[in-house]
Amino acid sequence: MMYKHLAGFLFAALLPFSSGCSVFMAIDQPDKKNVDLFRVGTPRSVLLGEFGAPAVSETRSGRKYEIFRFVQGYSTGAKAGRALVHGAADVATFGLWEI
């Protein structure tokens, strides 16, 4: 009987120290990129600022072509919503959501 209470006490004492990794991972997702910038007339510096360096850059028939690779992320609201849901699941399941 004493071990049962001790186990419950240890579980309750360690629960606040569980990292809540899913909450931090939801917040740390990449930001949503503005793909509307891919149009004629957008300065190259603006594209580089939003998407980074191009994955491929080549010249064909005297014209320069560049291919950008990126991960389309989430809006700030979507990231906050996901973090809120993960946090609520952590609390509702006493930390078992992280497993």
Side-chain angles (χ1 to χ4, degrees):
M1 184 73 155
M2 185 174 132
Y3 291 114
K4 190 175 187 179
H5 290 305
L6 181 62
F9 174 74
L10 286 175
F11 179 75
L14 294 176
L15 186 62
F17 297 104
S18 67
S19 66
C21 186
S22 62
V23 175
F24 294 111
M25 288 178 67
I27 292 172
D28 200 34
Q29 293 292 309
D31 293 329
K32 188 170 185 176
K33 302 291 185 188
N34 184 4
V35 294
D36 293 335
L37 294 175
F38 287 120
R39 66 179 187 279
V40 176
T42 302
R44 184 173 186 271
S45 61
V46 173
L47 290 175
L48 293 176
E50 180 72 13
F51 302 102
V56 177
S57 184
E58 59 185 39
T59 303
R60 293 188 211 156
S61 305
R63 297 185 72 179
K64 187 172 186 175
Y65 292 89
E66 294 182 329
I67 298 174
F68 291 87
R69 290 189 183 153
F70 62 94
V71 175
Q72 182 61 293
Y74 298 94
S75 67
T76 304
K79 291 194 308 187
R82 290 182 68 210
L84 182 68
V85 168
H86 283 288
D90 283 343
V91 171
T93 62
F94 298 106
L96 292 176
W97 180 254
E98 295 300 323
I99 296 172

